Amino acid sequence: MDLRCSEEDEAFRAEGGDWLWDNLAGEFAGGRGIGGAGSEHEGFDVRQAWERRLAEGGWTCIGWPKEHGGRGATLTQQVVFHEEYARAEAPARVGIFGEGLLGPTVIAFGSDEQQRRFLPPIVRAEELWCQGYSEPDAGSDLANVQTSAVLDGDEWVITGQKVWTSLAHWADWIFVLCRTDREAPRHKGISYLLCPMRQPGVDVRPIVQLTGTSEFSEVFFDGARTGREHVVGEIDAGWRVAMGTLAFERGTLYFGQQIGFERELRQVVELARVNGALDDPVVRDRLARAWIGLRVMRFHNLRTLRDGEPGPEASINKLFWSVWHRELGNLAMDVLGPAATLADAPLQRVFLFSRADTIYAGSNQIQRNIIGERALGLPAEPRA
């Protein structure tokens, strides 16, 4: 399999990279590297303004079809743009849930009316979205959602609770899984609703993390309302739509993430060089293994995308990078030694936040089940 980029892809890389470097100046010069996992509290106003600058330049939603406001970029072109974005240390995106998850879902499953209403504001960076999937009793076991939606005339009335909702305190809308038929089997009777966040009946409560910051929230719905027409797909058939959204989540964004990982690894190497930890052969071996892991990660991601959108085997990506990143956090603290206990220790936030890497977006245990049952075709795990 040839994993090299074509001349056309490299030209696209140069165009995107040049635009990024030209525009990360002036008011955005101080925004380099802000935000991202573990640091989502940083610089929201600057990042929102940057999102609009991207829109003005035509660099939002680049993988969407042109008829929906995108560039129609190929998968490889999306990969190279995400790599250049991370390499330029551009601010972490605040529109990622709309562009990367909700938008492709509406394109694939939504009505013409929904596409006209919801896609243009995402392209223009005018509306921000968050994801309402997990609940206190429905995390990896997503089919156990209990948040309910009941029709009242031309509106759905939503009652229940979601948790670990990223960027909820900034979002304008939420795509939320609700149980609309309590008599139906677990994977049926679920609908995929689009609900405005800024209304009575929606209460967002930030969750303080190990890092001391809050990027996740609990979201409580107490009679929140949304239009009858705001169901993506068919009523009671939202499970298929929800799984489609998760497939988009396993896409090209991983490549930009890897550039960030590479930057963190370079920081660990530099720390080891400065404080003498690099003299330890065990530390050198662990650093070499981390470097090799990054290369394995990239080539596997390319392999899973070459034939189109990622399938079940893309769960290997999540399993691999989450374990790799957690181990990098451990390595960083070992390199720092006693200094790692200081509150402002370099890379301490990587160590703390990476504890969540193997849990969110599907725990490692669930990823292994998906790999075994759906990718390898092994017998299903015994059920009680």
Side-chain angles (χ1 to χ4, degrees):
M1 178 181 292
D2 188 354
L3 299 178
R4 293 172 296 182
C5 293
S6 67
E7 290 185 8
E8 184 180 358
D9 295 334
E10 291 299 343
F12 191 85
R13 181 193 298 277
E15 180 188 0
D18 289 346
W19 187 92
L20 288 166
W21 286 99
D22 289 344
N23 283 271
L24 283 169
E27 63 179 304
F28 299 115
R32 289 182 181 273
I34 62 172
S39 303
E40 288 289 7
H41 61 288
E42 294 178 341
F44 173 75
D45 291 340
V46 171
R47 291 161 61 197
Q48 189 173 37
W50 171 250
E51 198 83 17
R52 292 176 180 140
R53 175 67 64 86
L54 285 169
E56 292 167 1
W59 291 104
T60 58
C61 310
I62 62 170
W64 292 14
K66 292 181 179 179
E67 60 267 29
H68 293 303
R71 283 177 173 251
T74 66
L75 282 171
T76 307
Q77 289 170 344
Q78 294 173 59
V79 167
V80 299
F81 180 73
H82 289 310
E83 289 180 336
E84 291 307 304
Y85 192 93
R87 195 167 281 125
E89 299 187 60
R93 301 286 303 277
V94 295
I96 195 63
F97 286 103
E99 176 176 330
L101 299 183
L102 188 277
T105 302
V106 170
I107 291 171
F109 299 99
S111 66
D112 291 344
E113 181 183 350
Q114 288 169 346
Q115 292 171 0
R116 287 192 296 270
R117 164 60 185 87
F118 292 109
L119 298 183
I122 296 174
V123 174
R124 296 192 299 263
E126 293 173 352
E127 290 182 345
L128 301 180
W129 286 80
C130 61
Q131 180 179 20
Y133 274 26
S134 295
E135 297 181 6
D137 292 319
S140 296
D141 183 16
L142 187 58
N144 197 43
V145 293
Q146 298 301 310
T147 295
S148 67
V150 178
L151 270 176
D152 179 21
D154 289 331
E155 292 184 314
W156 291 98
V157 180
I158 303 174
T159 305
Q161 177 189 358
K162 298 294 179 178
V163 73
W164 311 124
T165 309
S166 299
L167 308 184
H169 46 303
W170 292 324
D172 302 297
W173 286 80
I174 183 171
F175 49 99
V176 54
L177 289 188
C178 296
R179 193 158 293 283
T180 46
D181 183 353
R182 292 199 174 276
E183 303 303 318
R186 279 162 44 89
H187 292 83
K188 300 180 187 282
I190 293 174
S191 298
Y192 192 108
L193 273 66
L194 311 179
C195 178
M197 291 286 285
R198 305 181 192 284
Q199 61 165 306
V202 177
D203 182 16
V204 178
R205 303 179 190 176
I207 299 170
V208 179
Q209 302 151 194
L210 276 174
T211 56
T213 60
S214 299
E215 59 193 72
F216 300 117
S217 297
E218 296 176 283
V219 181
F220 293 86
F221 299 93
D222 184 11
R225 290 179 175 265
T226 192
R228 182 183 188 128
E229 70 278 10
H230 291 163
V231 177
V232 180
E234 296 180 10
I235 296 172
D236 296 335
W239 183 257
R240 176 170 170 264
V241 182
M243 293 303 99
T245 301
L246 291 180
F248 294 123
E249 188 177 39
R250 301 280 189 257
T252 59
L253 296 180
Y254 282 152
F255 292 89
Q257 179 190 55
Q258 288 163 37
I259 300 296
F261 288 167
E262 190 166 350
R263 192 160 55 241
E264 291 172 354
L265 177 57
R266 285 200 302 269
Q267 289 179 265
V268 176
V269 172
E270 184 58 27
L271 283 170
R273 183 177 288 115
V274 169
N275 70 7
L278 202 58
D279 297 333
D280 185 338
V282 174
V283 169
R284 291 200 302 272
D285 180 73
R286 291 172 68 188
L287 288 169
R289 288 176 181 273
W291 186 89
I292 292 168
L294 269 178
R295 288 348 182 239
V296 171
M297 204 184 303
R298 172 179 167 77
F299 290 129
H300 176 72
N301 284 356
L302 284 170
R303 181 174 62 183
T304 60
L305 288 176
R306 280 302 183 184
D307 295 327
E309 291 296 336
E313 65 277 3
S315 289
I316 299 172
N317 296 345
K318 169 61 168 61
L319 180 64
F320 189 92
W321 76 251
S322 62
V323 173
W324 182 93
H325 197 223
R326 185 182 62 191
E327 292 306 310
L328 180 70
N330 292 340
L331 175 57
M333 297 302 96
D334 290 343
V335 165
L336 279 168
T341 60
L342 300 176
D344 59 349
L347 293 171
Q348 187 187 82
R349 185 167 288 162
V350 172
F351 168 75
L352 293 174
F353 194 81
S354 66
R355 305 300 94 185
D357 287 344
T358 56
I359 301 172
Y360 67 74
S363 70
N364 280 13
Q365 291 81 359
I366 295 299
Q367 302 301 336
R368 290 186 176 97
N369 281 356
I370 293 172
I371 294 165
E373 296 172 15
R374 295 177 56 194
L376 300 178
L378 298 177
E381 181 182 16
R383 308 288 181 184

